[in-house]
Amino acid sequence: MTDRASSTGEVYAADRAESYGLHAGVLGPLETLAQSVSAMAPSTSPSLTIPLVFALAGNGTWFVYLLATGATLLVGFCVSRFARLSASPGSLYTYAADTLPPAFGVVAAWGLLLAYIATGASVAGGALYYGLLLSEQLLHFAPPALIILAVVCGAAGLIAYRDVKLSAELMLWIEVVSVGLILIVLAVLVFRFGFQFDLDQFRLKGVTVSALGPALVLSMFSFVGFESATTLGGEAREPLKTIPRAVIQCAILAGVFFMLCSYSEVLGFRGEPSQLSDSTRFIYWPPRPAFRRSAWPST
């Protein structure tokens, strides 16, 4: 036990001695957790991913997310073990490069780079879509797409450059408000149907084993980014403790949230003429006149 603590202390001291040009020790446990939560963006899954998983798994949607949570925790446990020994902006690349042959480090580095580029592009696209939608609905005017993208990306970049603590706290509060509003909607659904068990869901009625595999792969997209706290180096206070905890906590909290959303959404669509899987039809990019609700396809 003493040897392990000594080894950990040496690694910690080495990491702190190496400067990455970052603000050291400004993020507490909550802000560190916010890094993973905001990167994962759990508030998007109830409206985007869960309906798609339902199209495959049906009444087993909550069970699929239970399996996905277990798989994510296994990955998170491995990541947290490495995060107890090293903390740097290199994230998963550092873990792979330090423990595996160089080729694996190269693969991890390129994988992270492509993942961040794809994530940034998808987030920018989502911001553009909702920006145009809100402008059309509230102002009856849609500004040029490049202007919206420039404003959104510029504001996000300025906040991140200004202070990592400000960025983390802002992302945390955005997710807290978003998740809070979703939980209010779920509570209203449960209140409407009463506090009763949906036996069809618990019995996995109509669920086939062959459908669980593709649904599980799709549900894993909801957890993408849960390990993002590992990108923090010296910014986190006691990084060798707070970062591993943040990774595990994010996986558990997100898993419970997704299962609650899955159960409540499937329950809420009972007896409705439309299916939960049809609720994403308005997410596809329409031409400008189709932004008005009257132009959306009817059920």
Side-chain angles (χ1 to χ4, degrees):
M1 184 67 180
T2 303
D3 293 339
R4 182 183 182 279
S6 176
S7 176
T8 302
E10 292 174 0
V11 174
Y12 176 73
D15 285 336
R16 290 303 292 261
E18 184 176 358
S19 175
Y20 296 100
L22 304 173
H23 293 174
V26 297
L27 300 181
L30 194 59
E31 290 88 358
T32 304
L33 176 62
Q35 177 70 21
S36 282
V37 172
S38 59
M40 188 174 59
S43 57
T44 61
S45 287
S47 61
L48 296 178
T49 311
I50 290 179
L52 298 178
V53 175
F54 171 81
L56 295 172
N59 288 318
T61 302
W62 72 271
F63 181 69
V64 169
Y65 272 99
L66 176 62
L67 296 177
T69 302
T72 303
L73 281 173
L74 292 177
V75 176
F77 176 77
C78 294
V79 173
S80 67
R81 301 306 295 177
F82 286 107
R84 292 180 183 276
L85 301 176
S86 175
S88 74
S91 182
L92 302 183
Y93 158 74
T94 303
Y95 305 153
D98 289 346
T99 57
L100 298 173
F104 291 94
V106 173
V107 171
W110 277 106
L112 284 174
L113 178 61
L114 295 176
Y116 288 138
I117 292 176
T119 300
S122 63
V123 170
L128 174 61
Y129 174 84
Y130 287 109
L132 288 172
L133 183 62
L134 290 175
S135 299
E136 186 72 17
Q137 292 291 326
L138 300 178
L139 305 176
H140 303 289
F141 168 74
L146 289 178
I147 293 180
I148 295 180
L149 285 175
V151 171
V152 171
C153 295
L158 180 62
I159 293 173
Y161 177 79
R162 175 67 178 82
D163 186 13
V164 65
K165 183 176 177 63
L166 173 62
S167 175
E169 291 180 347
L170 179 60
M171 292 187 297
L172 175 63
W173 282 109
I174 290 175
E175 285 301 321
V176 166
V177 172
S178 301
V179 171
L181 292 175
I182 293 174
L183 290 177
I184 291 175
V185 174
L186 298 182
V188 171
L189 283 175
V190 174
F191 179 78
R192 174 188 174 187
F193 287 92
F195 294 94
Q196 57 181 345
F197 290 105
D198 187 351
L199 296 181
D200 288 346
Q201 292 194 62
F202 284 101
R203 293 173 180 172
L204 304 181
K205 182 178 179 181
V207 179
T208 61
V209 177
S210 60
L212 292 179
L216 179 59
V217 173
L218 190 58
S219 67
M220 291 300 294
F221 281 100
S222 296
F223 293 89
V224 171
F226 83 100
E227 84 296 341
S228 295
T230 59
T231 60
L232 300 174
E235 302 115 315
R237 291 195 294 270
E238 297 185 291
L240 301 184
K241 294 181 180 179
T242 56
I243 292 177
R245 291 173 184 172
V247 171
I248 298 298
Q249 290 170 353
C250 184
I252 295 175
L253 293 175
V256 172
F257 176 70
F258 293 146
M259 284 186 283
L260 288 175
C261 289
S262 301
Y263 175 83
S264 301
E265 289 184 39
V266 174
L267 178 64
F269 271 82
R270 292 283 188 227
E272 296 295 327
S274 60
Q275 294 289 326
L276 173 60
S277 55
D278 298 330
S279 63
T280 59
R281 66 188 184 281
F282 55 86
I283 297 300
Y284 299 112
W285 187 269
R288 180 178 173 183
F291 273 107
R292 293 183 175 85
R293 184 178 295 273
S294 59
W296 291 351
S298 57
T299 57

